[in-house]
Amino acid sequence: MTSVYVFNGPNLNLLGTRKPEVYGTTTLSDVETMCREEAEALGLELVFGQSNHEGQLIDWIQEAGAAVKAGQAVGAVLNPGAYTHTSVALHDAIEGVELPVIELHISNVHHREPFRHHSYISPVARGIVVGFGVYGYVLAIRGLHNAARPA
């Protein structure tokens, strides 16, 4: 079965309790369930992960890139959290393995602090989903699925 990867960066394990006025009250476990249901509806297998460690995210990106090249995956949804604004290493990993990535942000980062307006991920992302709350994960999975289908 073809897979879709969903990777979450630092502090997303606190989803549902951290700044609920910004991120809502849905937990990361709830998001995983929602993503699994969407993936299954599209005939995809979900691979879901969260890490507070940049190196772990890089390892997962490299694994997903290899799976895409082998025809076993459509790409990855990546909510890089704060690494969005700091990580050249994530940028380089995505670019290096040519991983189709949808960059995802639960909140509209452009309506927040100025330091959140710059992304190191956007230049190597296939698309960006911003500000739709946790429903953005569903939109991103659908986007990857549609982009991977033959024209």
Side-chain angles (χ1 to χ4, degrees):
M1 179 177 270
T2 303
S3 297
V4 61
Y5 293 82
V6 177
F7 301 139
N8 295 277
N11 298 313
L12 284 151
N13 56 306
L14 302 176
L15 198 58
T17 59
R18 177 180 174 244
K19 290 192 163 192
E21 69 280 5
V22 174
Y23 302 111
T25 57
T26 305
T27 68
L28 192 61
S29 178
D30 296 333
V31 170
E32 181 175 2
T33 297
M34 180 176 57
C35 290
R36 189 166 312 285
E37 290 170 357
E38 184 62 26
E40 288 175 1
L42 297 171
L44 299 170
E45 179 180 357
L46 178 70
V47 179
F48 193 91
Q50 184 278 327
S51 181
N52 293 320
H53 305 284
E54 187 177 38
Q56 179 64 71
L57 293 166
I58 290 167
D59 289 345
W60 289 342
I61 286 166
Q62 291 176 358
E63 290 169 17
V68 169
K69 283 195 166 111
Q72 300 166 343
V74 296
V77 174
L78 173 63
N79 184 340
Y83 288 140
T84 304
H85 323 292
T86 64
S87 184
V88 174
L90 288 176
H91 167 110
D92 288 352
I94 294 164
E95 184 178 54
V97 297
E98 300 175 353
L99 178 64
V101 164
I102 303 295
E103 178 184 352
L104 172 84
H105 300 284
I106 294 168
S107 68
N108 184 344
V109 293
H110 302 289
H111 282 198
R112 297 185 62 198
E113 304 94 335
F115 73 86
R116 296 188 193 276
H117 299 178
H118 179 265
S119 169
Y120 283 99
I121 308 305
S122 294
V124 292
R126 170 82 191 236
I128 305 164
V129 177
V130 176
F132 288 95
V134 296
Y135 185 69
Y137 285 89
V138 170
L139 297 173
I141 290 169
R142 287 184 186 176
L144 274 175
H145 178 259
N146 287 336
R149 293 183 356 199

